[in-house]
Amino acid sequence: MPPELISFKLCPFVQRSVITLKHKGVPFDVKYIDLENKPDWFLRLSPTGKVPVLKVGDTVLFESAVINEYLNEVNPPSMHPADPLERARHRAWIELGSDLLGEQYRWMIGDQATFEKAEAALASKLSRLEAEVRGPFFAGGSPCLVDAAVAPLLHRFEILARHTGRDPLSGHGPLEIWRDEILTWPALRESVVPDFEPLLVDYTRAKSGALAGLLR
Ligand SMILES: N[C@@H](CCC(=O)N[C@@H](CS)C(=O)NCC(=O)O)C(=O)O
């Protein structure tokens, strides 16, 4: 039986796991849920009440970074470095990727004060990330788990920049090069539903934050 991914169409954490599944060519089933109205079966399954959840037989996995580690281990070749220290360093940057997704969400939906605070935090953390990117992918010529973890962030910035004129990646040259490479990655292109872009824009507009005011 293929693994089953419990998903929400706009969740960047789910997207991380879809990218890994697609990159590794693993067949899987998807079940979408409404996060505003979580079904009882989902709440029984998920200890955090959050997506993604990956069901492998009767085993329930949660937390996108953990799901990706599992998928990577059972579907070689590995998207992690062989050296333990280097692997640990990659995991640290995956953690920063999670933190950046939180900042991006606050930037996307927050009121003016929240938006400005998030934008300042993004500028500082993106500068640190920028210094680590070897290019064109995070660690060189082929995608690794850091790419899978950060791709949803770069993808959303690219879409929202086209619709608002506001781009936190602007001026971070290595990140712009990385984003452009990520956008051509087949696993990224196949990781979202076909109407992802209008859904993301509508979601941003509906939240009525400072960024929604810049939508054109
Ligand atoms: N640390 C979690 C974060 C997952 C997460 O925040 N998922 C959001 C959707 S993008 C969610 O399910 N939110 C529902 C809720 O918090 O009630 C992971 O990496 O999987």
Side-chain angles (χ1 to χ4, degrees):
M1 250 183 28
E4 182 179 62
L5 186 69
I6 319 299
S7 176
F8 173 68
K9 288 179 185 171
L10 288 176
C11 176
F13 298 97
V14 170
Q15 193 183 354
R16 288 172 152 187
S17 296
V18 178
I19 289 169
T20 307
L21 286 157
K22 294 279 183 186
H23 182 71
K24 287 179 172 279
V26 179
F28 63 102
D29 294 329
V30 183
K31 198 175 269 176
Y32 293 106
I33 62 162
D34 176 4
L35 286 177
E36 299 295 322
N37 191 14
K38 297 174 191 168
D40 286 342
W41 62 261
F42 172 70
L43 291 171
R44 280 195 296 276
L45 218 55
S46 168
T48 60
K50 294 182 180 184
V51 291
V53 162
L54 188 73
K55 268 189 80 185
V56 185
D58 290 333
T59 303
V60 173
L61 298 179
F62 53 99
E63 287 297 325
S64 58
V66 175
I67 291 171
N68 276 5
E69 291 273 351
Y70 163 74
L71 291 171
N72 185 52
E73 276 187 30
V74 298
N75 298 287
S78 179
M79 294 171 75
H80 253 329
D83 175 65
L85 183 58
E86 191 57 7
R87 201 157 60 239
R89 193 179 74 82
H90 277 218
R91 289 182 177 127
W93 288 100
I94 288 169
E95 279 293 314
L96 187 88
S98 300
D99 182 285
L100 281 167
L101 283 172
E103 299 290 6
Q104 183 183 55
Y105 189 68
R106 288 184 280 282
W107 175 82
M108 211 174 101
I109 68 154
D111 61 14
Q112 190 63 32
T114 307
F115 171 79
E116 284 172 16
K117 203 171 155 203
E119 203 163 56
L122 283 167
S124 141
K125 291 171 187 174
L126 288 171
S127 295
R128 302 297 295 268
L129 179 61
E130 173 184 346
E132 301 292 319
V133 183
R134 196 179 299 165
F137 286 104
F138 179 75
S142 53
C144 65
L145 284 187
V146 183
D147 294 283
V150 177
L153 179 94
L154 303 176
H155 186 203
R156 279 160 180 69
F157 278 143
E158 191 276 332
I159 292 172
L160 293 168
R162 276 190 286 106
H163 287 269
T164 64
R166 200 86 171 199
D167 185 2
L169 297 181
S170 173
H172 297 277
L175 296 182
E176 292 177 287
I177 295 168
W178 188 19
R179 173 203 61 207
D180 292 347
E181 188 69 20
I182 287 280
L183 291 175
T184 67
W185 185 13
L188 182 277
R189 290 207 308 273
E190 296 164 15
S191 65
V192 289
V193 291
D195 57 346
F196 177 74
E197 182 163 332
L199 283 176
L200 183 71
V201 171
D202 288 351
Y203 182 88
T204 307
R205 184 173 283 112
K207 292 293 177 186
S208 307
L211 192 69
L214 301 178
L215 283 169
R216 37 196 194 207

